[in-house]
Amino acid sequence: MSDGSGVQGAAQPVPLWTSPPQTPAGAHAHGSAPRNVTALLVRLQQEEYSGTVSVSGSPGGTIHLRNGLISAVETPGTPSVESALLKSGRITEEGWATGLAATRDVDGLGAALVGQGLVGETELEVLCTATIHEGAFALALTRPDGWEVGGPTRTVLAGYPAQPQSVAEETVRRLAFVTDRWGSPGELARTRLRPSASAERVAGRLAPRHTALLAIANGRRTARDLAFFLGRGLFAVMVDLIRMDDLGLIQWEGARRPAGRPSTAPRVPGTGAGGHSGAVTPPPAGSLPRRVPGPRPRWTPGEKPGAAPTSPGGAEPSPHQELSGQSDGL
């Protein structure tokens, strides 16, 4: 979410979060219409409002407020607390139904799940907090059509809700991270992918969450699909995919790459900028070099022609070393 509230020290507005062309019906009636969703949330925080802000658009979603603070964000763009609990196997369908039946008021679902022994209080709070930021990030991937302010509805609420300003700033940081390392966050969310030809060779050295992503990436699923399949947050999945892409472990369907991002594919002699106009086919592994028209392929005896250079010392860096230490997220 962008800020746009005019508060000193606010994050710069994100173009994806601009005001709709017309003031939607049901928008907050006090004062002039806010210019974007975050400006609306800051106003509602000042009024200590408890209720919902329903954002229309694709994907759209619902922001739950309690006393003006963000207590939950639900959107089809990333798994909700319910989806994350069920998909990850933390809670069964029967257990979720038990928690719903034990809920006594609109804000009591989380307490009911903990009271029934279905999930730990600390675990649930961490998940709720992560889902707020994941939901805000997913909402920021597209321009909203409008919004409507309504009364409270039942969902799992964070025990320690978030300030709208801090959620806006974190969303800006996440959008900048993806844009800097891959390109358009919205394009990454909807681009299909599959494991690369080299992924199988290092599969045993990868972190379990990366292995899980490779196992279900079949060329038809997008980053958003993978997130829902595993019950993980969209941004967390994107971060893993960016790292795996840098190591050449995945292939984007249709050879699509973000505009302006240099290709990291292995270079073949005789191609690319400044290369000979005619393609030069390197000799197969184990054969003797042959004279060919144009520049000769540069290769060292004992190596496959066109092989990527190794790191100093002759050993390539371990993908497990490159990928370890990354926060799992949702």
Side-chain angles (χ1 to χ4, degrees), residues 161-216:
Q163 300 268 352
Q165 184 65 42
S166 66
V167 174
E169 292 172 352
E170 174 63 16
T171 302
V172 171
R173 187 193 69 81
R174 294 186 179 200
L175 291 171
F177 178 92
V178 176
T179 301
D180 179 63
R181 289 162 176 78
W182 196 89
S184 166
E187 183 178 348
L188 176 55
R190 60 178 178 267
T191 300
R192 295 174 173 83
L193 63 135
R194 66 174 66 247
S196 68
S198 61
E200 185 177 352
R201 295 189 289 106
V202 296
R205 291 178 284 166
L206 300 178
R209 66 182 185 279
H210 300 126
T211 302
L213 287 171
L214 290 175
I216 61 175

Side-chain angles (χ1 to χ4, degrees), residues 4-238:
S5 63
V7 179
Q8 187 175 3
Q12 292 298 319
V14 179
L16 293 175
W17 276 77
T18 55
S19 59
Q22 296 180 353
T23 302
H28 208 57
H30 300 292
S32 60
R35 59 179 179 175
N36 58 27
V37 174
T38 306
L40 171 66
L41 295 178
V42 169
R43 178 182 298 179
L44 294 175
Q45 179 187 6
Q46 294 169 350
E47 300 176 5
E48 299 185 351
Y49 182 80
S50 293
T52 58
V53 176
S54 299
V55 182
S56 58
S58 177
T62 302
I63 303 169
H64 299 262
L65 303 175
R66 293 299 183 269
N67 298 320
L69 301 179
I70 300 177
S71 298
V73 178
E74 295 178 307
T75 169
T78 191
S80 62
V81 172
E82 175 184 358
S83 180
L85 288 172
L86 295 177
K87 286 292 185 179
S88 64
R90 293 180 177 97
I91 292 181
T92 64
E93 294 278 358
E94 294 77 10
W96 183 262
T98 300
L100 288 175
T103 303
R104 301 186 181 278
D105 56 68
V106 70
D107 291 350
L109 180 54
L113 295 174
V114 173
Q116 294 290 319
L118 299 171
V119 63
E121 182 177 2
T122 301
E123 179 185 12
L124 182 61
E125 182 61 28
V126 170
L127 182 58
C128 288
T129 301
T131 305
I132 289 175
H133 292 288
E134 289 282 1
F137 173 78
L139 282 175
L141 296 182
T142 56
R143 187 187 304 272
D145 296 331
W147 54 76
E148 183 176 355
V149 178
T153 59
R154 183 172 63 180
T155 191
V156 182
L157 302 175
Y160 298 92
Q163 300 268 352
Q165 184 65 42
S166 66
V167 174
E169 292 172 352
E170 174 63 16
T171 302
V172 171
R173 187 193 69 81
R174 294 186 179 200
L175 291 171
F177 178 92
V178 176
T179 301
D180 179 63
R181 289 162 176 78
W182 196 89
S184 166
E187 183 178 348
L188 176 55
R190 60 178 178 267
T191 300
R192 295 174 173 83
L193 63 135
R194 66 174 66 247
S196 68
S198 61
E200 185 177 352
R201 295 189 289 106
V202 296
R205 291 178 284 166
L206 300 178
R209 66 182 185 279
H210 300 126
T211 302
L213 287 171
L214 290 175
I216 61 175
N218 57 8
R220 297 187 300 273
R221 294 189 175 110
T222 65
R224 183 180 287 122
D225 296 331
L226 299 179
F228 273 96
F229 194 97
L230 297 174
R232 296 184 57 198
L234 177 61
F235 175 73
V237 168
M238 282 185 172

